Each structure stands twice: as structure tokens, then as C-alpha cells.
Amino acid sequence: MSQTQMMKGIIDGCLLAIIDGNECYGYEMAERLGDYGFDAVSEGTIYPLLMRMQREGLVTSVRRASTAGPQRKYYSLTKEGKQALAEFILRWQQLEKSVNAVLKKEME
Amino acid sequence: MSQTQMMKGIIDGCLLAIIDGNECYGYEMAERLGDYGFDAVSEGTIYPLLMRMQREGLVTSVRRASTAGPQRKYYSLTKEGKQALAEFILRWQQLEKSVNAVLKKEME
DNA sequence: TTTCACTATCTTGTTTTACAAGGTATAGGA
DNA sequence: TCCTATACCTTGTAAAACAAGATAGTGAAA
């Protein structure tokens, strides 16, 4: 069991939350997740995820010049994306509750 | 994003916790997870997981007769299994902290 | 001036996960 | 006798997360 495996499906929601807070681009999202305490999330994970979420209509993107390198692709949430984020939060809270219930009940 | 995807890698740890609490068999673990608030976890998920964990030396099993059906396969944790459980708990707590940090910081 | 480090995106191929669906078999009750 | 609940397992599928590496722009040091 790696940290990796526990991440599945959760990064999506966290990306939505970050984008909702403020228009953001992939490279920065990876850094931010690191700041929040996640194991370094690889770009090979983030970019395909962002592209999938765009395909699904949860986010839109615009390219903008950077002062320090190639163009950035800034993402924003659509109405569907905001909805998906709200649903993610509910599911996360339910999951948190369930796992903690198992750990608490079984660990004493 | 389905509930499913958020589960990845977490069921393992919960099964270890359940087994640690008390010797248990697969069919019952599925029921218990349901009781703890998880979406019904399919047997197609649980049995392969248990077999993998046995292959990895985290659990051992013994067959015992049941009063109400075919033989049950009771699982117990090995020393390695207890170790894996302890590691899971740490990783879970770290994950919980990180996700909540993202949600809190970005949602205000 | 060329080379290095950092910034930034994307692709390919692999491993693993979770599951749906279905198979097998035992026991007890209607 | 047949149904339901109990109990285990297998096969095939879709998707997730990543490692590794390709591509390219910028600026600063050497």
C-alpha cells in the first residue's frame, strides 16, 4: 500500500477546490498540493486529470503569457464544476466519517 | 468522479483495522463496512484484496465451519499486517489533514 | 555564447484498483 | 422440492496515478 493508492479520486476534488479559490494553472496546482501536505503530486497525474475535467465540462481554460517561461494554461470552474465540487465535499465528509468510525471502533 | 474512485487504497486499510479488532471472514467484512457507512463494498473487491494481502504476508487465514452455510475463511493479522495497519493510520491522518487544509483554505 | 536551471505543458506505457457479472456450493425453512 | 441466505471465488473491464521522458520558453551565470 503506497500513499499513491490512497490518493485515487481525491486529487480531482482537491484540484476543483483550488481552482474554485482562484483561477490557476497546472504547474502551480502541483506546488500548492505539496504545500498543503500532499506527497509531491506528479505532473503526469495532474495534466491528464485537468484535460479530462475539461472534456467533461467541469473546467474551462485560457492561455496566458508568463514572465518566467512558456505560456500558462489557466483553469476556471464552470457551473458543472462548482456542482461537482459541492458533491465532492459531501462525499469526502462521508468517507472521512466512515473511515474514522472503522478506526475508532476497531482500534480500542 | 464516483464514490468508487475515492475509495481506492482506503478499503485495504479498513479491512486491516477490522481484522485487527477481531478475527473475521470476508462476507462479514463486507457487511461491516456497510454498517460503518461505506457504500456497499462488493465481494468482487474484497476477496481479491484479502487474497493479495495474504500473498503479501499481511494476513493469515483458517477455514472453520459455519452453522448457516459453507465454510468461512477467518483472517488474522500477522506482525507485518499490524505494521501495515499502523502505517495506514498515519497515512490516513496525513491525508485527512491535507484534504481538509485544501478545502478550508480554498473555500472561504 | 552556450550552457544550465527553472518554468511550463503534454504523451506514452505500465501497474493497480474496484467492480460488475457470474459461477460454485452449503444449510435451513417453506 | 425449491427458495433464500450464506459463503467463497473468477473473469473481464474501465479508469486512476504515475514514472519517464519529450518539447519548449526564459533568464542568468560561466
Side-chain angles (χ1 to χ4, degrees):
Chain A
M1 271 193 306
S2 65
Q3 167 88 340
T4 302
Q5 288 156 36
M6 200 154 46
M7 301 301 303
K8 301 201 176 194
I10 294 179
I11 299 178
D12 314 42
C14 291
L15 289 182
L16 290 177
I18 289 176
I19 296 170
D20 190 47
N22 222 327
E23 198 188 47
C24 194
Y25 57 100
Y27 192 82
E28 196 190 0
M29 295 183 211
E31 286 181 327
R32 289 234 225 144
L33 286 176
D35 294 341
Y36 283 122
F38 287 95
D39 260 24
V41 179
S42 118
E43 295 166 19
T45 300
I46 288 188
Y47 289 114
L49 263 181
L50 289 172
M51 287 186 278
R52 198 206 67 207
M53 294 199 289
Q54 178 154 32
R55 210 166 54 238
E56 290 173 350
L58 304 183
V59 297
T60 53
S61 63
V62 278
R63 284 185 176 278
R64 299 232 184 85
S66 160
T67 51
Q71 283 198 320
R72 297 169 178 163
K73 204 163 155 187
Y74 284 88
Y75 289 90
S76 312
L77 292 196
T78 62
K79 205 164 71 176
E80 290 78 17
K82 281 178 185 290
Q83 172 84 27
L85 173 56
E87 285 161 13
F88 166 73
I89 292 174
L90 289 179
R91 278 206 319 283
W92 164 252
Q93 287 168 348
Q94 179 59 51
L95 177 67
E96 199 182 5
K97 210 167 112 184
S98 300
V99 173
N100 285 327
V102 173
L103 293 182
K104 188 175 176 187
K105 201 79 175 205
E106 304 287 348
M107 293 295 86
E108 55 205 22
Chain B
M1 272 194 308
S2 66
Q3 168 86 343
T4 302
Q5 288 156 33
M6 201 153 48
M7 301 299 303
K8 301 202 176 193
I10 294 179
I11 299 178
D12 315 41
C14 291
L15 289 181
L16 290 176
I18 289 176
I19 296 169
D20 190 48
N22 222 327
E23 197 188 50
C24 193
Y25 56 100
Y27 192 81
E28 197 190 1
M29 295 183 211
E31 286 180 328
R32 288 235 225 142
L33 286 177
D35 294 342
Y36 283 122
F38 287 96
D39 260 24
V41 181
S42 119
E43 295 170 21
T45 299
I46 287 186
Y47 289 115
L49 261 181
L50 289 172
M51 287 184 280
R52 197 205 66 205
M53 294 199 290
Q54 179 153 32
R55 212 166 52 239
E56 291 173 349
L58 305 182
V59 298
T60 53
S61 63
V62 277
R63 283 184 178 278
R64 299 233 184 84
S66 160
T67 52
Q71 283 198 319
R72 295 170 179 163
K73 203 163 155 187
Y74 283 87
Y75 288 89
S76 312
L77 291 196
T78 62
K79 206 164 70 176
E80 290 78 16
K82 281 178 186 290
Q83 172 84 28
L85 173 55
E87 286 162 14
F88 166 74
I89 292 174
L90 288 180
R91 277 206 318 285
W92 164 252
Q93 287 167 346
Q94 179 59 51
L95 177 67
E96 201 182 2
K97 211 167 111 185
S98 300
V99 174
N100 285 328
V102 173
L103 293 182
K104 190 175 175 188
K105 200 79 174 203
E106 304 288 346
M107 292 295 87
E108 55 205 21

